[in-house]
Amino acid sequence: MPKAFPLEFRRDVVAVARKREATLTWIAKGFGISEAFLHSSLKLADIEDGLVAGFTSVEAAEIRDLRKRNRMLEHESEILRRAAAFFARAALPK
């Protein structure tokens, strides 16, 4: 698993890259990161700043939470459906 960099570090890398005073390859080597990390950091920064369409980190976290909640509710609904069927069978006259 790749190591996580602090948010401040990402902001510094993006700020230097946006100045366009050097190539992205040189900037990546200078900071000791991969070019892929630099590109993804720039893309995320563009989304966060509203320059490119996409989900911000806050929106992405909200979507993850909502999907998790939806899975939990579907699971609970399935349990309740099965319990209702079980008790309905038990309540039938013999």
Side-chain angles (χ1 to χ4, degrees):
M1 180 174 194
K3 61 182 177 180
F5 292 101
L7 187 57
E8 284 298 316
F9 178 78
R10 288 177 183 254
R11 287 183 187 146
D12 292 343
V13 170
V14 168
V16 170
R18 283 185 174 170
K19 289 181 183 177
R20 302 206 187 264
E21 294 177 354
T23 64
L24 295 180
T25 304
W26 188 84
I27 293 169
K29 286 182 182 179
F31 278 99
I33 58 174
S34 67
E35 285 186 64
F37 175 79
L38 180 56
H39 284 288
S40 66
S41 295
L42 286 168
K43 183 178 176 183
L44 289 174
D46 287 345
I47 291 171
E48 292 289 334
D49 294 342
L51 302 175
V52 178
F55 294 116
T56 64
S57 58
V58 172
E59 293 169 333
E62 183 179 4
I63 289 171
R64 275 192 309 273
D65 292 342
L66 290 172
R67 286 181 178 161
K68 182 178 179 181
R69 174 104 171 112
N70 191 36
R71 280 191 307 271
M72 184 182 69
L73 290 172
E74 287 174 350
H75 181 69
E76 290 174 355
S77 176
E78 178 66 18
I79 290 171
L80 291 172
R81 185 185 64 75
R82 289 182 181 192
F86 175 78
F87 288 118
R89 279 193 308 264
L92 290 176
K94 293 184 181 185

